[in-house]
């Protein structure tokens, strides 16, 4: 990446984090649980053409957000590790050409943990990637087969080892609360994962997403997942084991050594400013004093044609009302163990949070106010987060 850290006059918003999310929408096969914007193509994808479209959309988005300094970049998917390193390099160069890039910028790439992908890691590092997030999902081969993954546990651990040698920082994802998973088996799997000494782990409970093959199997009674009580026991195991090993939760599903949190995802949860480029990417931008929600066309080739003809793939470009912003701030911020600043909520909404609802939730030990006046969900409240947020937002 060129242009990183070049000295310029202070832009507006200096000191504020600004993230760029780039979506690569292709996968080798579709996992049966996944409802992300990912597509399988049986003919080779024209990466050069996509790279030109990414650069064009980056240019258009940067023109709306002049003077920002990019503090993090996240290449997510789909499977961004299917991209050639030069495609990643071209995207990062376009970002550095049209925005200023902060010294020490965090550049994360999501990678599937196969041996083929691991061979590209050195190229990604040369292109400017300094952090990878690997979709390991499980360290049990039978579970990986059930999840429809194309890699074995051994192959995943080999990719983790290459990631450790290739990048300054790495993280990996596991899915738990899988069919028939016992607390003892999950504890052993998690302990094995923590032996890899990753500074960051994303630990997701299996969710049955609508319109996926898992949803069909589940509805037919052919896929039984842990009931809420059993899932709660697995959740508690997750919190205990990760905290004991120095990676406490800092967000509902994300764990890190203190200081090793994903800076890019923190922008979302702290309700900061970020641009979304690529098919189906979402953004939240400050434009002429308004907060704007953006989303692009999801279908890859339709997005490509739109960008080629109009310079962007936007299908949503809406100014958010103060109430909408306040709801989003609450929804995102309460996912973090650090919680939210009620003063910021009041400034955003134009009204304070309902004191009697806060008092009720505090009495139930689901919510607390810390010494700095921040409002945060308690460990007992996190498993009930959706209900707590709904109650406060009502
Ligand atoms: C964008 S996705 C996938 C990244 C990458 N393509 C992969 O599969 O390794 C990010 C993560 O979301 C998680 N995920 C996706 N669908 C899920 C589901 N239905 N339930 C729980 N976790 C899910 C997986 O852990 C996955 O690694
Ligand atoms: S889980 Fe990852 S590899 Fe599987 S379909 Fe979703 S984005 Fe693609």
């Amino acid at each position: 990446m060129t242009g990183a850290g070049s000295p310029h006059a202070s832009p507006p918003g200096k000191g504020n984090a600004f993230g760029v999310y780039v979506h690569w929408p292709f996968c080798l096969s579709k996992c049966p649980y996944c409802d992300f914007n990912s597509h399988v193509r049986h003919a080779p994808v024209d990466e050069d053409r996509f790279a030109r479209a990414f650069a064009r959309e980056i240019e258009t988005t940067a023109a709306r957000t002049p003077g920002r300094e990019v503090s993090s970049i996240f290449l997510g998917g789909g499977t961004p590790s299917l991209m050639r390193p030069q495609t990643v390099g071209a995207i990062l160069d376009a970002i550095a050409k049209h925005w200023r890039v902060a010294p020490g910028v965090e550049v994360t790439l999501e990678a599937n943990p196969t041996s083929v992908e691991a061979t590209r890691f050195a190229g990604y590092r040369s292109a400017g990637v300094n952090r990878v997030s690997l979709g390991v999902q499980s360290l049990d081969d039978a579970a990986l087969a059930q999840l429809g993954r194309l890699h074995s546990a051994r192959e995943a651990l080999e990719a983790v080892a290459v990631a450790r040698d290739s990048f300054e920082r790495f993280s990996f994802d596991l899915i738990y609360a899988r069919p028939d998973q016992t607390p003892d088996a999950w504890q052993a799997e998690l302990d094995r994962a923590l032996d890899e000494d990753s500074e960051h782990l994303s630990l997701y409970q299996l969710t049955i997403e609508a319109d996926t093959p898992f949803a069909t199997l589940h509805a037919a009674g052919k896929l039984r997942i842990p009931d809420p009580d059993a899932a709660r026991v697995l959740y508690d195991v997750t919190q205990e084991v990760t905290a004991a090993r120095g990676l406490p939760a800092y967000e509902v599903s994300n764990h890190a050594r203190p200081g090793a949190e994903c800076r890019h995802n923190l922008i979302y949860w702290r309700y900061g400013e970020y641009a979304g480029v690529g098919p189906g990417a979402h953004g939240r931008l400050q434009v002429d004093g308004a907060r704007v929600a953006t989303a692009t066309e999801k279908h890859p080739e339709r997005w490509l044609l739109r960008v080629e003809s109009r310079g962007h793939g936007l299908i949503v470009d809406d100014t958010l009302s103060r109430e909408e912003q306040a709801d989003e701030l609450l929804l995102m911020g309460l996912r973090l163990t650090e919680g939210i600043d009620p003063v910021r909520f009041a400034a955003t909404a134009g009204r304070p949070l309902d004191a009697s609802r806060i008092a009720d939730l505090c009495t139930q030990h689901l919510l607390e106010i810390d010494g700095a006046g921040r409002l945060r969900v308690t460990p007992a409240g996190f498993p009930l987060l959706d209900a707590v947020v709904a109650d406060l937002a009502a």
Side-chain angles (χ1 to χ4, degrees):
M1 182 170 29
T2 54
S6 54
H8 285 267
S10 288
K14 172 99 174 113
N16 290 337
F18 180 78
V20 179
Y21 176 77
V22 180
H23 192 81
W24 184 255
F26 301 112
C27 291
L28 280 186
S29 68
K30 186 82 192 173
C31 304
Y33 55 85
C34 176
D35 79 340
F36 282 86
N37 185 33
S38 61
H39 304 258
V40 177
R41 293 289 175 265
H42 298 293
V45 171
D46 186 344
E47 289 194 35
D48 292 336
R49 191 170 165 197
F50 270 92
R52 284 192 296 275
F54 277 109
R56 182 109 191 261
E57 193 169 56
I58 285 164
E59 182 178 2
T60 308
T61 312
R64 299 180 81 188
T65 51
R68 304 301 197 278
E69 183 176 78
V70 176
S71 50
S72 66
I73 300 168
F74 196 104
L75 298 132
T79 306
S81 54
L82 292 177
M83 273 188 271
R84 293 173 316 201
Q86 65 256 44
T87 306
V88 172
I91 293 170
L92 296 180
D93 282 347
I95 291 171
K97 182 174 170 194
H98 297 291
W99 281 291
R100 227 155 52 92
V101 174
V105 61
E106 176 187 272
V107 184
T108 304
L109 178 128
E110 253 176 13
N112 282 21
T114 74
S115 50
V116 177
E117 282 152 304
T119 61
R120 298 191 196 110
F121 286 179
Y124 294 145
R125 185 191 53 208
S126 303
V129 173
N130 53 31
R131 182 177 183 274
V132 283
S133 172
L134 290 156
V136 171
Q137 317 309 1
S138 172
L139 294 175
D140 177 275
D141 282 336
L144 287 170
Q146 186 177 43
L147 291 169
R149 301 294 292 183
L150 299 177
H151 54 87
S152 64
R154 191 176 147 195
E155 200 178 4
L157 288 171
E158 284 167 2
V160 167
V162 180
R164 182 185 295 108
D165 291 344
S166 306
F167 299 99
E168 291 159 43
R169 302 170 61 198
F170 74 98
S171 173
F172 58 92
D173 299 354
L174 296 174
I175 296 179
Y176 72 99
R178 303 184 308 249
D180 301 322
Q181 192 174 33
T182 64
D184 283 350
W186 172 227
Q187 176 158 356
E189 190 176 347
L190 193 49
D191 264 321
R192 176 67 191 87
L194 285 155
D195 290 343
E196 291 302 310
D197 206 21
S198 166
E199 60 168 22
H200 188 285
L201 284 177
S202 300
L203 305 170
Y204 300 109
Q205 285 194 39
L206 177 63
T207 310
I208 302 298
E209 303 287 357
D211 303 322
T212 59
F214 266 23
T216 310
L217 288 173
H218 188 246
K222 293 181 182 157
L223 181 81
R224 295 215 341 262
I225 56 166
D227 66 25
D229 288 342
R232 174 65 198 266
V233 173
L234 294 165
Y235 172 84
D236 289 343
V237 165
T238 309
Q239 308 315 308
E240 282 156 27
V241 173
T242 52
R245 303 272 308 256
L247 271 78
Y250 67 98
E251 190 265 353
V252 183
S253 308
N254 283 277
H255 300 252
R257 290 197 195 292
E261 297 84 4
C262 174
R263 280 184 254 148
H264 185 83
N265 287 342
L266 279 176
I267 294 179
Y268 303 154
W269 296 317
R270 289 178 175 158
Y271 204 44
E273 188 181 25
Y274 55 96
V277 297
H282 291 250
R284 291 289 181 276
L285 302 175
Q286 290 301 128
V287 182
D288 299 330
R291 183 151 174 103
V292 176
T294 67
T296 52
E297 163 63 48
K298 285 175 84 170
H299 186 272
E301 287 76 19
R302 283 204 289 272
W303 170 84
L304 192 64
L305 292 172
R306 264 180 185 261
V307 176
E308 287 173 347
S309 63
R310 309 168 195 208
H312 63 79
L314 290 178
I315 53 164
V316 174
D317 195 17
D318 295 340
T319 297
L320 296 171
S321 69
R322 292 178 82 166
E323 276 298 323
E324 286 170 330
Q325 292 178 51
D327 281 349
E328 290 192 339
L329 188 154
L330 200 64
L331 190 72
M332 299 307 277
L334 288 181
R335 298 178 65 92
L336 290 171
T337 53
E338 70 179 23
I340 63 150
D341 177 0
V343 176
R344 182 177 172 210
F345 177 92
T348 305
R351 61 162 180 90
L353 280 158
D354 185 328
S356 66
R357 285 179 196 274
I358 293 178
D360 266 3
L361 291 164
C362 287
T363 309
Q364 295 172 61
H365 304 293
L366 299 176
L367 206 59
E368 64 190 7
I369 298 175
D370 73 8
R374 294 183 71 84
L375 192 65
R376 57 186 193 200
V377 175
T378 62
F382 266 110
L384 308 169
L385 180 63
D386 291 347
V388 173
V389 172
D391 196 356
L392 269 181

